[in-house]
Amino acid sequence: MIAGERMTADFLTLDAADNVAIALRDLADGEILDGIKLLEAVPHGHKVARQDLAEGDPVLKFGQVIGAALAPIRRGAWVHSHNLRFVTGLARPAAMSAAASAPLPRRRTFMGYRRPKGRSGTRNYIGIIASVNCSTTVCRAIADAANRDLLPRFGNIDGFVPIVHGSGCGSSTGGEGQQLLQRTIAGYCRQPNFGGVLLVGLGCEVNQITLYTTGGATETRAAFDIQKAGGSRAAIAEALGILERIAGAANAQFREERPVSDLVLGLQCGGSDGFSGLTANPVLGRAVDLLVAAGGTAILSETPEIYGAEHLLTARASPDVAERLMQRIRWWEAYTSQHGASLDNNPSPGNKKGGLTTILEKSLGAVAKSGRSPLIECYGYAEQVRERGLVFMDTPGYDPVSATGQVAGGANLITFTTGRGSCFGCRPTPSLKVASTTQLFRQMPDDMDFDAGRLLADPSGSPDSLGAELYELLLDVASGQATASEMLGYGDNEFVPWAIGAVL
């Protein structure tokens, strides 16, 4: 258990200051548990009041404010959207600065592919990347033909992956949306999990392939336009000839021992529930601390889902990094307000059904997956991550868009925590799923890779031991062990660059 927690068979109290506890099972109206008489039924994973609260009183979970009482709440009542509201401006407990570094793990290497400029791949795919939506159908046809006709001849290649999207034209050449798309595609072109890349354009689009080909064709890189090739069928035939050459070069690459410092781990959470912040995210946080201690990098993202918990990150950042993070928070406040929304609109219906009420509650749990290491840098969307350690990348909370930015930034591994269940893949980067409860792990066995719910079953357990186990699994996956989503074939439809700006 985490220091400060108190758990019975029925309740979990995360901090001595908390005035709510978490139901560990469906609780019935009238039950008397741990000296508290329940005034109504409380669903599994939801909150129950530990004391009487007046209207406007702060509600505390994790030892932090998650909102205020919308009306008087009696001890033993169910605390959720009907009587708890999102507020700003309430005093928050001080955040602790970064803890001491995690111990240096015994295992500090994995079996990966040596790439240029000191990088390593965890997979050896070949990407067929569309510059514009108009070339997506041809890119898919090229990938299908290559996987059918070429892949059987090149046993050291993981596959040919179509990277397609719905943009690339109908926008300003200098607009923010075009800049983000260009940065994202450029990041995928240099992604270390690609042993080779073929970029395919239509020919007349805003997002010209010449933006990415300043160095010319190489043994593992090439590009062409469909219009110049003579149309769709001619383009597919030309592509297969090019890919045969690229595949020959990529097939000559083999796994070798690489340092953990070459790993860049994207941190994702989706379909969160009331247990995500209690099990899956803290367990991942401990694995992150071990990764960082070994010299690796972890990317925390999803800016709307750290809102209200940003003080836990700025407390372990330099003043410059903290200010850059706060600038992004202020941008999101203005952005959502401009569109008539609130950052508290972020929790989804599934989040709320699983026990989460406000964005503050969701964010406090989400930040736990970053561990306790210092935050050393703050990046814009899809920027190339250069520093080693824990970093932040500004992205939306929508998982495909967020993960796309991380992969463009260099993430060669992704860990995805979930409480409600997720069916997400992210080729060329393997995505490893961590279930917040054993019930979910058993309910969706084909999609889950790791059961963090074991933390609740063992009162003497610790996130440290499960975190060390997850760290080992991360290195196994980086070394080639297939994840559940890879075995299911996920990953061809999750390239979703962040779309900002007018469509013209």
Side-chain angles (χ1 to χ4, degrees):
M1 295 179 63
I2 302 174
E5 286 186 354
R6 181 174 183 276
M7 183 165 70
T8 70
D10 311 296
F11 291 140
L12 175 61
T13 304
L14 297 171
D15 189 279
D18 290 355
N19 47 30
V20 293
I22 316 305
L24 296 179
R25 60 174 176 83
D26 287 337
L27 304 178
D29 182 7
E31 285 192 75
I32 299 176
L33 304 169
D34 200 27
I36 299 175
K37 181 178 180 179
L38 298 188
L39 304 182
E40 56 195 310
V42 179
H44 178 246
H46 286 240
K47 298 173 289 296
V48 59
R50 298 178 63 215
Q51 63 189 56
D52 291 340
L53 298 170
E55 181 179 348
D57 279 354
V59 177
L60 275 72
K61 178 182 173 183
F62 304 104
Q64 299 287 328
V65 175
I66 63 170
L70 186 60
I73 300 174
R74 294 174 59 194
R75 186 173 187 252
W78 176 32
V79 180
H80 198 42
S81 303
H82 61 288
N83 56 9
L84 171 61
R85 63 187 175 92
F86 166 75
V87 291
T88 58
L90 287 176
R92 297 186 294 189
M96 297 181 63
S97 59
S101 299
L104 191 65
R106 174 189 56 82
R107 185 179 173 191
R108 298 192 293 278
T109 63
F110 70 101
M111 298 300 293
Y113 297 94
R114 184 191 296 268
R115 304 298 195 205
K117 300 181 180 179
R119 300 177 303 152
S120 293
T122 64
R123 295 296 184 267
N124 195 28
Y125 286 109
I126 293 176
I128 297 94
I129 302 178
S131 70
V132 64
N133 179 256
C134 307
S135 61
T136 60
T137 300
V138 167
C139 283
R140 289 191 186 279
I142 291 169
D144 288 343
N147 282 316
R148 182 185 64 245
D149 300 334
L150 296 180
L151 187 59
R153 296 166 44 199
F154 299 98
N156 201 35
I157 294 173
D158 291 312
F160 296 84
V161 181
I163 301 296
V164 299
H165 55 96
S167 186
C169 206
S171 61
S172 168
T173 56
E176 186 176 12
Q178 169 63 16
Q179 292 171 4
L180 287 181
L181 178 64
Q182 185 177 341
R183 197 157 70 204
T184 303
I185 290 179
Y188 269 68
C189 286
R190 61 173 174 262
Q191 229 296 325
N193 288 347
F194 280 137
V197 165
L198 173 62
L199 184 66
V200 181
L202 177 61
C204 54
E205 64 270 18
V206 169
N207 192 41
Q208 290 282 300
I209 60 173
T210 53
L211 296 168
Y212 310 95
T213 57
T214 54
T218 68
E219 186 179 42
T220 58
R221 298 288 187 272
F224 74 89
D225 286 329
I226 296 169
Q227 291 168 348
K228 290 181 181 178
S232 297
R233 286 191 176 89
I236 294 169
E238 181 173 340
L240 290 177
I242 295 171
L243 288 174
E244 186 168 16
R245 169 178 56 80
I246 291 176
N251 197 60
Q253 302 177 41
F254 293 88
R255 290 187 182 273
E256 59 182 87
E257 193 169 38
R258 304 296 299 155
V260 166
S261 57
D262 282 1
L263 285 181
V264 181
L265 175 66
L267 309 178
Q268 288 290 319
C269 58
S272 300
D273 70 351
F275 292 106
S276 294
L278 317 183
T279 59
N281 289 340
V283 166
L284 176 55
R286 298 302 193 271
V288 165
D289 288 337
L290 292 171
L291 179 73
V292 169
T297 300
I299 308 173
L300 179 67
S301 299
E302 302 174 296
T303 314
E305 296 182 9
I306 64 142
Y307 185 68
E310 66 276 0
H311 63 296
L312 302 180
L313 296 170
T314 56
R316 44 192 171 114
S318 70
D320 287 345
V321 172
E323 175 55 27
R324 286 199 292 276
L325 178 60
M326 293 308 300
Q327 286 175 358
R328 301 316 303 161
I329 293 288
R330 291 191 288 270
W331 183 92
W332 275 97
E333 288 176 327
Y335 179 68
T336 53
S337 176
Q338 175 186 347
H339 292 278
S342 162
L343 284 167
D344 193 45
N345 295 143
N346 177 277
S348 69
N351 294 152
K352 292 183 178 181
K353 188 173 181 180
L356 297 175
T357 307
T358 67
I359 185 57
L360 304 179
E361 181 180 10
K362 184 177 181 180
S363 294
L364 289 163
V367 164
K369 65 182 180 287
S370 67
R372 298 166 292 186
S373 301
L375 181 68
I376 62 168
E377 189 53 276
C378 181
Y379 290 96
Y381 184 81
E383 284 187 339
Q384 187 172 4
V385 172
R386 301 182 184 277
E387 283 78 11
R388 289 187 169 107
L390 175 65
V391 302
F392 188 85
M393 177 181 286
D394 179 35
T395 76
Y398 185 40
D399 307 318
V401 178
S402 180
T404 294
Q406 291 177 334
V407 174
N412 51 14
L413 194 61
I414 283 177
T415 303
F416 194 120
T417 63
T418 183
R420 303 290 293 173
S422 171
C423 303
F424 181 80
C426 198
R427 291 204 297 176
T429 296
S431 176
L432 186 150
K433 305 287 187 357
V434 179
S436 71
T437 64
T438 299
Q439 178 184 354
L440 173 63
F441 186 77
R442 292 171 177 168
Q443 178 183 333
M444 299 180 66
D446 293 336
D447 295 280
M448 299 297 116
D449 297 282
F450 190 88
D451 177 14
R454 290 174 287 161
L455 192 61
L456 295 176
D458 182 7
S460 63
S462 164
D464 292 329
S465 59
L466 284 184
E469 184 181 332
L470 179 56
Y471 170 79
E472 293 288 332
L473 180 57
L474 289 173
L475 299 194
D476 289 342
V477 169
S479 299
Q481 179 175 316
T483 65
S485 63
E486 288 181 300
M487 288 187 280
L488 286 167
Y490 278 112
D492 287 352
N493 301 298
E494 287 81 1
F495 178 73
V496 188
W498 189 4
I500 294 180
V503 177
L504 304 178

